[in-house]
Amino acid sequence: MIQDTLQQFGLSAPQAEIYSLLLECGQQKAGELARKSTLKRSSVYYVLEELQTMGLVEKQQESEGPDMFILKHPEHLRSH
């Protein structure tokens, strides 16, 4: 499973879950990720912040509406 592989690269289980959802679904809003994941909405925001700090996810600020989150190139996984 992809989440197991991501954890081998050093991601926590929640980080791997959100990362794999972004891999599957493409760019998403945090609320969409929360609905698709097993995590609470507040946890999704926290995990997204962690992934941004790690350089794995980028937040695209929308002029109207919620921000979108997208994956950065997977090469950034090598450093974690």
Side-chain angles (χ1 to χ4, degrees):
M1 179 177 230
I2 188 79
Q3 289 185 31
D4 295 331
T5 303
L6 291 168
Q7 287 181 27
Q8 290 174 0
F9 278 96
L11 297 184
S12 67
Q15 291 169 343
E17 181 177 357
I18 296 302
Y19 193 92
S20 67
L21 281 171
L22 286 168
L23 276 174
E24 287 176 33
C25 304
Q27 69 179 17
Q28 297 284 301
K29 298 172 188 169
E32 293 169 336
L33 290 167
R35 282 189 289 281
K36 294 175 183 176
S37 76
T38 63
L39 304 173
K40 294 180 181 178
R41 188 180 185 112
S42 59
S43 297
V44 169
Y45 279 102
Y46 181 77
V47 169
L48 285 166
E49 286 181 26
E50 291 177 329
L51 292 171
Q52 286 178 78
T53 300
M54 297 166 82
L56 300 175
V57 169
E58 183 178 313
K59 178 170 58 171
Q60 289 187 332
Q61 295 184 331
E62 300 293 315
S63 58
E64 294 181 23
D67 297 333
M68 297 293 285
F69 294 89
I70 59 169
L71 290 179
K72 292 181 92 173
H73 195 279
E75 70 184 9
H76 296 282
L77 277 171
R78 285 189 238 156
S79 63
H80 297 283

